[in-house]
Amino acid sequence: MKMNLTARRLTAIAVIIFSFININSQTQQKRLPSTQFADKHIFCQSGDNYTEVSYHIEMPNDSEWQPIVLKKVFDNAASNLEQSIERFVSNYGTPVETLPYTHKNHTPVEAVTCTIEDYTGDFITFFIYKEHIPSTISMKPTTQETSFVTLDLNRNCLLTKSNVFDMKKCKGAKAMQELRSRFTVNDQFAAAFNSFDVAKFEGSLAITDGHFLTLMFTDKEDNSKSYNATANIYDIFNFLSADMKRYHPENGTAPEAKKQKNSENSTSNATPQTSGERITEVPDKMPEFGGNINQWLSINLRYPDIDEQLNVEGKCVVQFVVEVDGSISNVNIVKHVSPTIDRESARVVMNMPRWIPGTVDGKPTRCRFVLPINFKLQEQVQE
């Protein structure tokens, strides 16, 4: 398993009809002022057994935050990153410089990746990926685990369903049906999501861009498979706990003022107005992005760190509805690449400014639109 990508440059290419754009991986992203990195690929020996150990960790330089997150990353209790890594490596023996020839093609692999997915000032969201590749001799399957960990910086604790949702308001079939209707999930997983119940939820949570809540579900029969459901915080406001409501306008009351402001702001898309009318598949005039969509995507699209590290490439196809007021709704991923690339594609579409709606007989109408986005790693030109 090769984690070294120093000779690579990352670009994402969005394809809109017949035009192509390049998006540099160095697109500016809000980061913590002080961040610690640990990236290593080693071999460990325990008796006659050898293990290939790999880790790539991005962690805030804060003594209070590190132990809370590291316990989730390495499954051990340590006070800092160095100590946690040392304990993780020691599980597989003593580091060695070389691997015996007899073990070179069938050494098991243990890999851990933790990257900062989002930072808003109130929350830090981490993406954690763990992979176990057994020895080829054992004939056992590879196991993978993906999860989010979101740290509440004000309360210095991890977000859980209990401190995100008001559990009393999430009781009952009617309440859950209402809550599920506020989330966006791919059609492929719609049936599975229809059984979602907050009280039984065992997945992980993420807060991104300050106002999006993402739930990650893992297939119980195959933990390498997962899917996400995403909702705007304002759309599920009444289901949130009192503590979560404090992070948003009006200090615990429904943010009608913000919704009104957004509806008047042509560049806002936080609260799309769905008319309830049928969706026009072939309008007289298709919806249009109000500006240079290539330029907007080049600024706002980010290639997920975990996919860069694992060399994940592919075309993610996003389907959505442009409402009569130009806002975006019904965002679905119709062609998948990876959980993080799917989520990034959905995120960037949901954050788009209002479009110019499609028309029939000169009148605005709801229209479906499909946007393919290619995520591709390209070789860096050596100077």
Side-chain angles (χ1 to χ4, degrees):
M1 181 175 180
K2 302 301 180 184
M3 303 290 287
N4 185 3
L5 300 177
T6 55
R8 285 180 172 263
R9 177 176 62 84
L10 190 60
T11 58
I13 305 172
V15 187
I16 299 100
I17 307 178
F18 296 103
S19 64
F20 297 81
I21 62 170
N22 289 324
I23 300 171
N24 194 292
S25 63
Q26 302 302 319
T27 298
Q28 290 188 352
Q29 182 177 355
K30 191 172 183 180
R31 290 289 188 184
L32 291 165
S34 178
T35 307
Q36 188 175 1
F37 294 90
D39 192 350
K40 202 164 187 180
H41 179 87
I42 59 176
F43 295 100
C44 292
Q45 179 182 7
S46 178
D48 294 331
N49 299 316
Y50 291 83
T51 304
E52 186 177 348
V53 179
S54 173
Y55 55 85
H56 175 87
I57 310 297
E58 183 181 10
M59 190 67 54
N61 250 334
D62 190 289
S63 58
E64 288 187 319
W65 301 344
Q66 283 196 5
I68 299 173
V69 180
L70 289 171
K71 189 173 182 179
K72 289 287 186 179
V73 177
F74 290 112
D75 300 317
N76 63 48
S79 59
N80 55 58
L81 179 59
E82 291 80 6
Q83 187 181 82
S84 195
I85 289 176
E86 183 179 342
R87 292 181 181 181
F88 169 68
V89 172
S90 67
N91 291 333
Y92 307 100
T94 304
V96 293
E97 293 185 2
T98 59
L99 188 68
Y101 178 78
T102 53
H103 289 74
K104 284 190 175 181
N105 294 322
H106 55 261
T107 303
V109 176
E110 298 290 342
V112 176
T113 297
C114 175
T115 57
I116 298 174
E117 190 75 7
D118 198 85
Y119 169 57
T120 63
D122 291 321
F123 304 101
I124 308 176
T125 294
F126 299 85
F127 179 81
I128 301 173
Y129 175 85
K130 300 179 182 181
E131 184 175 36
H132 168 69
I133 304 175
S135 167
T136 54
I137 297 176
S138 71
M139 302 298 289
K140 293 181 179 179
T142 296
T143 59
Q144 299 170 328
E145 180 184 339
T146 58
S147 63
F148 291 119
V149 169
T150 297
L151 184 63
D152 183 328
L153 302 183
N154 297 292
R155 292 180 287 172
N156 204 32
C157 67
L158 296 179
L159 289 189
T160 65
K161 65 183 181 185
S162 298
N163 56 30
V164 169
F165 292 103
D166 183 333
M167 302 303 288
K168 292 182 179 179
K169 291 186 177 180
C170 295
K171 286 185 177 179
K174 185 176 180 180
M176 286 311 307
Q177 183 179 3
E178 175 70 15
L179 179 59
R180 287 193 293 265
S181 69
R182 308 296 177 88
F183 279 86
T184 296
V185 64
N186 184 264
D187 290 342
Q188 181 180 351
F189 304 108
F193 187 67
N194 281 338
S195 62
F196 165 63
D197 189 321
V198 171
K200 299 177 181 179
F201 177 61
E202 297 179 352
S204 56
L205 304 137
I207 298 290
T208 55
D209 292 328
H211 59 272
F212 283 102
L213 173 66
T214 296
L215 307 178
M216 177 180 280
F217 299 81
T218 301
D219 190 317
K220 293 182 178 180
E221 296 182 0
D222 183 355
N223 62 7
S224 67
K225 296 180 180 179
S226 62
Y227 73 92
N228 300 335
T230 302
N232 192 308
I233 288 291
Y234 301 117
D235 292 337
I236 59 172
F237 195 83
N238 292 332
F239 295 94
L240 299 179
S241 67
D243 285 328
M244 282 299 293
K245 287 179 179 179
R246 292 192 187 104
Y247 292 115
H248 300 281
E250 285 34 273
N251 293 321
T253 60
E256 297 300 331
K258 184 173 182 69
K259 288 189 177 184
Q260 179 65 25
K261 181 179 179 180
N262 286 342
S263 67
E264 295 170 357
N265 185 347
S266 62
T267 62
S268 172
N269 190 47
T271 55
Q273 299 176 359
T274 56
S275 64
E277 299 175 359
R278 68 181 181 86
I279 298 171
T280 303
E281 302 292 347
V282 186
D284 295 339
K285 185 178 181 182
M286 287 295 292
E288 296 178 2
F289 185 83
N292 188 327
I293 191 171
N294 291 357
Q295 183 179 20
W296 189 90
L297 285 170
S298 69
I299 295 171
N300 292 278
L301 190 65
R302 304 193 296 252
Y303 205 120
D305 292 340
I306 184 64
D307 296 295
E308 177 182 4
Q309 295 150 18
L310 299 176
N311 295 340
V312 177
E313 300 178 336
K315 180 187 291 184
C316 184
V317 180
V318 188
Q319 182 187 80
F320 53 93
V321 172
V322 179
E323 297 291 339
V324 293
D325 65 345
S327 58
I328 303 298
S329 70
N330 295 30
V331 178
N332 287 303
I333 307 298
V334 296
K335 183 178 180 183
H336 300 269
V337 178
S338 74
T340 42
I341 283 179
D342 292 352
R343 191 170 68 83
E344 171 60 15
S345 301
R347 182 198 68 82
V348 79
V349 169
M350 287 189 287
N351 276 297
M352 281 183 169
R354 295 184 187 273
W355 285 47
I356 300 170
T359 59
V360 173
D361 295 330
K363 296 180 179 180
T365 185
R366 303 179 74 202
C367 297
R368 202 182 307 278
F369 198 90
V370 176
L371 177 67
I373 304 176
N374 280 344
F375 288 81
K376 185 174 179 59
L377 291 162
Q378 294 185 343
E379 296 292 339
Q380 184 175 11
V381 178
Q382 300 292 332
E383 296 182 357

